[in-house]
Amino acid sequence: MLTNVFGISIKYEAWDHQDSLPVYIAGSYDFRTAYIAKKRCIMLVPKEELVTTPALKKQIAKIQQVDNVPVVLELATISKYRRKSFIENNIPFVTGKQVFLPFIGTMLTDEKEPQKLTGKFVYSTQQLFLFYLYSKKKRLYISEAGKVLPFTAMTLTRTVKQLEATDLFLVAKDGVNKFIESKYSRYELFEKAKGYLSTPVRRAGYIDKTQVTENMAFAGETALSEKTMLNPRRIVTYAISEKDYDKTMLTEELIDPYKQVRLELWVYNPKQFSEDNNADDISVVLSLGDTDDERIEEAVEALMKRRLQK
């Protein structure tokens, strides 16, 4: 409980009007009457993750129908993105280091942001990221992803936290339903996230054409040539999840391009986001990330603009 902010004393009294509020509001906060520089207001301390700004504005309006004084959010910390949203929407808040009280005056200081993610996504996070891009939705509910992706609830929670740490996504709740929402267009998002993404290929080699199965998808340059003007190489490339193939059956040697195919073993199922017999476009692009072949680079750029700017 804050007793002062930047030298301004805060005095508290009980606020006993919760019974006049809808249950979902009354149960979401601890309520107190507060006097800040002798100005009476209602201080809300969230009991759970905050709702979206539009939903919060509606809740504040309902509270002010019961007691028409300023409503202030008391928070442990606040992100730069939420702070900007609160200020734009004139929602008062206080933390130990920041104050926005437009009914009194405003004092803001820079508060240390949560440490930004460095390094690469774990592969489960990469799959959630791909699911978001392919969904074409600005706002994606986590429960929807949980029905499709092969993750436990704990893994899904970790992947959401890692996405949030990039500062490329807003993570919030709509009622009890958590969602992720990007601040960028799909193409901009992919460009900004490139440094976090990895090739899905764990290992590659050659197998006899007779060993190709329906679990395999066209990949690499073969898949890229299906979607672009790229002329494919003679040897066909396939991909399969490494869990579904015995890697000891791969050979390092290409002996006969008429009898062999190239096979990539992927960390995740290459058909997971696929719409046809090819591995999904974005994962194919990531698998070709280290190329210095201008033909491939041009084809990749054309494919990604077409795929993500729809």
Side-chain angles (χ1 to χ4, degrees):
M1 182 187 299
L2 294 173
T3 56
N4 74 82
V5 285
F6 299 161
I8 302 173
S9 63
I10 305 177
K11 295 181 180 178
Y12 296 96
E13 294 177 358
W15 192 82
D16 299 319
H17 304 290
Q18 289 91 329
D19 291 346
S20 301
L21 295 172
V23 174
Y24 72 92
I25 298 178
S28 296
Y29 307 94
D30 286 327
F31 296 80
R32 290 192 298 271
T33 297
Y35 293 88
I36 305 177
K38 298 184 179 179
K39 179 74 174 180
R40 193 172 83 84
C41 58
I42 302 167
M43 195 77 80
L44 304 186
V45 180
K47 292 182 179 179
E48 54 194 34
E49 196 167 338
L50 277 175
V51 295
T52 62
T53 299
L56 185 58
K57 287 177 71 177
K58 290 178 182 177
Q59 291 183 3
I60 289 172
K62 287 186 179 294
I63 294 168
Q64 288 177 322
Q65 287 174 7
V66 176
D67 189 355
N68 190 23
V69 295
V71 174
V72 181
L73 274 294
E74 182 181 330
L75 307 170
T77 186
I78 189 168
S79 69
K80 189 179 295 183
Y81 190 76
R82 192 183 289 277
R83 180 179 69 182
K84 181 174 181 289
S85 177
F86 277 14
I87 292 171
E88 287 174 350
N89 287 277
N90 210 41
I91 297 175
F93 67 86
V94 297
T95 75
K97 297 180 180 179
Q98 300 187 79
V99 179
F100 177 63
L101 301 171
F103 57 94
I104 294 176
T106 302
M107 292 169 283
L108 292 171
T109 61
D110 282 329
E111 188 164 342
K112 190 177 180 182
E113 289 286 307
Q115 190 170 4
K116 192 173 181 182
L117 177 67
T118 56
K120 300 287 187 180
F121 285 150
V122 297
Y123 279 108
S124 54
T125 305
Q126 181 159 314
Q127 290 173 77
L128 179 59
F129 178 81
L130 292 177
F131 186 77
Y132 180 86
L133 286 181
Y134 285 124
S135 75
K136 299 184 182 179
K137 296 177 180 178
K138 184 71 174 172
R139 176 175 294 185
L140 177 69
Y141 288 90
I142 303 306
S143 58
E144 185 180 340
K147 293 174 183 176
V148 177
L149 297 174
F151 304 151
T152 63
M154 186 178 295
T155 297
L156 196 55
T157 298
R158 284 199 297 264
T159 63
V160 171
K161 285 182 178 177
Q162 195 172 35
L163 282 186
E164 187 176 23
T166 64
D167 203 33
L168 298 176
F169 289 88
L170 166 68
V171 178
K173 278 187 176 180
D174 179 2
V176 297
N177 299 307
K178 184 176 281 190
F179 64 84
I180 56 175
E181 186 173 313
S182 176
K183 307 171 188 179
Y184 304 97
S185 70
R186 291 162 68 237
Y187 186 76
E188 286 177 311
L189 178 62
F190 176 74
E191 289 296 310
K192 288 179 178 292
K194 273 183 178 177
Y196 300 118
L197 301 171
S198 305
T199 174
V201 181
R202 186 81 82 183
R203 183 175 174 178
Y206 300 94
I207 62 170
D208 193 273
K209 283 183 178 179
T210 59
Q211 295 175 310
V212 173
T213 69
E214 61 182 16
N215 289 333
M216 298 176 186
F218 290 120
E221 290 184 45
T222 304
L224 186 61
S225 67
E226 289 277 320
K227 305 289 179 72
T228 66
M229 301 296 288
L230 180 74
N231 289 322
R233 296 186 187 276
R234 179 184 298 172
I235 185 93
V236 176
T237 298
Y238 288 89
I240 191 171
S241 170
E242 63 179 348
K243 293 187 294 186
D244 297 331
Y245 196 79
D246 181 359
K247 62 184 178 183
T248 62
M249 295 176 68
L250 283 180
T251 176
E252 303 279 326
E253 257 185 311
L254 175 61
I255 298 168
D256 189 339
Y258 293 101
K259 291 185 177 179
Q260 288 174 291
V261 297
R262 183 172 179 272
L263 182 64
E264 297 175 347
L265 303 186
W266 280 24
V267 178
Y268 49 86
N269 184 353
K271 291 188 173 184
Q272 184 166 313
F273 306 109
S274 178
E275 299 167 343
D276 48 34
N277 291 325
N278 298 293
D280 76 90
D281 294 346
I282 301 172
S283 294
V284 168
V285 166
L286 294 174
S287 75
L288 296 166
D290 292 333
T291 185
D292 54 5
D293 187 325
E294 287 185 9
R295 299 175 313 114
I296 294 175
E297 289 175 350
E298 289 176 6
V300 161
E301 186 175 352
L303 176 61
M304 294 312 290
K305 284 184 176 178
R306 189 169 72 248
R307 162 58 86 170
L308 296 178
Q309 290 185 341
K310 288 178 181 176

